[in-house]
Amino acid sequence: MYGLALFLHNGWGCAPDQERSLALMRAAAEAGNVWAQFDVGLYYMKGYGCQPDMAQALEWITKAAQAGLASAQYELGVLYLNGEGVAQDFKESVAWFLKAAEQGNADAIFYLGAAFYDGLGVEKDPVRGLDIMQDAVKLGSSVAQRYIHKFEERSSTPS
């Protein structure tokens, strides 16, 4: 079901059909496929095959995150960071970024570093924050590379 849902979503070898894709994706999610749970959450968040529904998005992304899917944990961290569909909660955001970071999710590692750098949900520690962001760069996070580059430009610009 999950594979067919991806084919229908992307139009691989068929015409794209977001509604049918969502129906199959949801069936796979209800059967326990954590990637399908995460994707159903994204479908509801973005309005693929349905009207956007942040309550449904949060429910499905949370299921996948609680099941240990690093991508879902990262996305949940972003939702709490930005207050999308939930009350903004930096400590909760950091908790989810940490879970994803422990599994090597480079973007979660970056956001964890940014939290320490800015003191969002944790005690402010810019040195530790930059060290953590460097770890994200080593894992290929382009977001971390851009952030550190901007920081270095600001630091080297004369006042």
Side-chain angles (χ1 to χ4, degrees), residues 10 14 16 22 24 54 61 69 86 97 139-140 143-144 153 159:
N10 293 300
C14 59
L22 175 58
L24 288 169
M54 281 305 293
I61 291 169
L69 186 64
V86 294
F97 287 142
L139 291 171
V143 174
E153 283 179 347
S159 304

Side-chain angles (χ1 to χ4, degrees), residues 2 25 28-30 32-42 56-77 79 96 99-100 103:
Y2 179 68
M25 191 70 69
E30 289 170 352
N33 181 313
V34 294
W35 277 104
Q37 291 170 348
F38 177 53
D39 285 346
V40 166
L42 295 178
Q56 283 287 316
L58 185 63
E59 178 183 333
W60 286 105
I61 291 169
T62 300
K63 282 183 185 186
Q66 289 172 337
L69 186 64
S71 295
Q73 293 167 337
Y74 161 75
E75 190 64 40
L76 201 51
L79 293 175
W96 287 110
K99 289 176 186 292
Q103 296 185 64

Side-chain angles (χ1 to χ4, degrees), residues 1 4 6 13-14 19 24 26-27 33 36 58 81 84 88 94 108 112 114 125-126 128 140 151 153 155 157 159:
M1 284 184 285
L4 182 55
L6 290 176
C14 59
E19 289 179 17
L24 288 169
R26 190 168 174 130
N33 181 313
L58 185 63
L81 177 67
E84 294 178 60
Q88 189 174 45
V94 166
L112 188 60
D125 187 342
R128 182 175 181 194
F151 174 77
E153 283 179 347
S155 296
T157 303
S159 304

Side-chain angles (χ1 to χ4, degrees), residues 111-130:
Y111 277 104
L112 188 60
F116 277 98
Y117 186 83
D118 293 327
L120 298 175
V122 293
E123 187 173 329
K124 186 173 183 169
D125 187 342
V127 172
R128 182 175 181 194
L130 285 173

